Amino acid sequence: MRIFIFTFLFFSLLVSCSSTNKEEYSLVYDPSVKVKAPPILNKEKIDLDVNLVEYTLKNSYSGYFFKNKNNVELGIKKLKESVVNIESIKPGDFCNVLGESFSHVQDEHLTFQFGPRKCARNTFVGNVGKRIDSEEKRLWTVKKVVEGNSNVLVITISWFASPSSSKWDGMLREIKTHLDKIDFVVVDLRGNSGGDDTIGYQLAKLLTGGSQFSTPYANQYKVVTRPGLESRANLSSFLAYNAESKKQKDFFLDFIKRDKQKYTNYKKETAIVNKVLPKVVKAKALKPVVILQDRACASSCESTIDFFEYIDDVTRVGENTAGQVQFGNLGFVVLPESRIQINIPSTFNSYRDNRFIESIGIKPDVNVPKGQDAYDFAITYMKNRRK
């Protein structure tokens, strides 16, 4: 199962957003146009942005169609009540009002952002040690180390870049060359805030020798309304505009094209885009695998951990993850008056057993006490298991 989930920060964006009537807006964004936010919003500008917030969430947010409709309606009510007596406000303060109005919604991907700052949302910090080689500031590292009598392959991934990025070059090949010479594998995902989990799935496949296996997910649902298509296209347009290569640019532009071709004339508001296979297929890891996880592991970091659920001989060590996995495939809209960005999930991923873990996270198999190091726990755990 492939889940595109992007997290990002950027400044001073502009959406071309003109109301054609009270019900219809264009949410299309031009990444080449930069307009700064005004210093002060008057009453008229506040009301225009509030109307667009309501329109956007009701027409493009997956949570409005699955699980969170009542919470969204409550948030809209709270927002309108909060601004009714405000005659003027700074955009940054208005962002705080937006964030606080929807802070009760159980979805950490739904955020309001002014410049680089996400307003009134949780910040997740790991409590079980830093990722190994975190000071190197690299996307990935692969190292063979000796721990006691064991040869250990330690893999670290700091975030999940696009699979088209050249930054991944050599990682899977290097892992493969070591697998016959080690006793177990440690995959360190602490502090990994997500991205695109395609490489995460490929890693799981590699560590099973290419075997087929199921994921814990049931159907994935996507919002396919026109506003939903536009919000997703906005993110892909931004990523294409800032791509590191023509290959990467074409990757994002092709995503927009395929999305529009498939769903522009779709008759329903949501569509099932990944159907689950009813029979669970299990696999076995070539060598024992230990995954290190923490509270800062979010989004595609979590779906990568989920890919290992039906793979035998895999142990999760650490603490609960962030719980940002069921609402995903972000798009965004920039409010035309305040230039505040709404990050909007467009898909909902259900689990086979109907669990709901947003803001709760994935539980480890071996819980590490706060303040202690998950790597040390993992090594001790594997030494005791091998006795």
Side-chain angles (χ1 to χ4, degrees), residues 119-373:
C119 306
R121 292 302 286 184
N122 294 323
T123 300
F124 293 96
V125 179
N127 302 291
V128 290
K130 291 185 177 180
R131 185 178 59 254
I132 298 169
D133 295 333
S134 59
E135 301 302 321
E136 293 189 20
K137 301 186 184 305
R138 293 180 56 191
L139 180 63
W140 59 270
T141 62
V142 175
K143 293 183 179 180
K144 182 181 172 183
V145 300
V146 177
E147 296 286 356
N149 296 322
S150 299
N151 293 313
V152 185
L153 185 63
V154 180
I155 303 165
T156 72
I157 302 176
S158 60
W159 73 288
F160 284 101
S162 164
S164 63
S165 174
S166 60
K167 294 177 181 178
W168 290 113
D169 291 353
M171 187 190 79
L172 296 176
R173 182 173 61 253
E174 187 169 345
I175 293 171
K176 189 175 182 179
T177 62
H178 288 293
L179 285 179
D180 291 338
K181 309 165 189 174
I182 52 99
D183 297 303
F184 62 92
V185 178
V186 173
V187 180
D188 193 348
L189 299 179
R190 289 175 292 179
N192 185 317
S193 61
D196 180 325
D197 62 9
T198 303
I199 297 297
Y201 183 78
Q202 291 177 8
L203 174 62
K205 289 280 287 186
L206 176 62
L207 295 179
T208 62
S211 299
Q212 296 296 318
F213 52 85
S214 300
T215 74
Y217 302 114
N219 294 336
Q220 183 189 60
Y221 301 88
K222 178 183 285 189
V223 177
V224 293
T225 59
R226 179 186 57 78
L229 292 172
E230 289 176 347
S231 68
R232 285 198 299 276
N234 287 345
L235 176 57
S236 294
S237 295
F238 172 80
L239 294 171
Y241 183 76
N242 293 280
E244 63 183 35
S245 65
K246 184 180 184 302
K247 176 184 175 183
Q248 195 175 66
K249 179 178 181 178
D250 290 344
F251 174 85
F252 293 120
L253 293 178
D254 185 59
F255 180 78
I256 298 172
K257 182 179 178 181
R258 287 185 286 108
D259 209 28
K260 288 182 177 179
Q261 285 178 341
K262 188 170 184 179
Y263 297 114
T264 295
N265 296 314
Y266 205 80
K267 301 301 182 185
K268 297 181 180 180
E269 293 176 315
T270 62
I272 298 175
V273 291
N274 284 309
K275 292 185 177 180
V276 66
L277 295 175
K279 183 180 179 180
V280 172
V281 177
K282 292 188 175 183
K284 183 174 174 32
L286 296 175
K287 297 293 175 73
V289 176
V290 179
I291 299 174
L292 306 186
Q293 62 182 64
D294 66 1
R295 193 64 171 154
C297 169
S299 196
S300 287
C301 178
E302 294 172 291
S303 55
T304 294
I305 293 173
D306 275 339
F307 293 148
F308 287 85
E309 182 156 331
Y310 291 120
I311 299 175
D312 292 337
D313 218 355
V314 175
T315 306
R316 301 170 301 202
V317 176
E319 62 184 348
N320 278 34
T321 58
Q324 299 180 21
V325 68
Q326 288 188 259
F327 297 106
N329 285 34
L330 283 182
F332 72 81
V333 170
V334 177
L335 300 179
E337 306 300 335
S338 62
R339 310 297 191 255
I340 291 168
Q341 175 184 319
I342 315 176
N343 300 316
I344 312 160
S346 66
T347 58
F348 174 70
N349 306 301
S350 59
Y351 279 94
R352 291 173 180 268
D353 58 5
N354 294 315
R355 76 188 81 159
F356 187 64
I357 64 166
E358 286 298 293
S359 303
I360 299 170
I362 300 169
K363 294 180 180 180
D365 301 307
V366 178
N367 192 66
V368 176
K370 184 176 180 180
Q372 299 193 35
D373 194 285

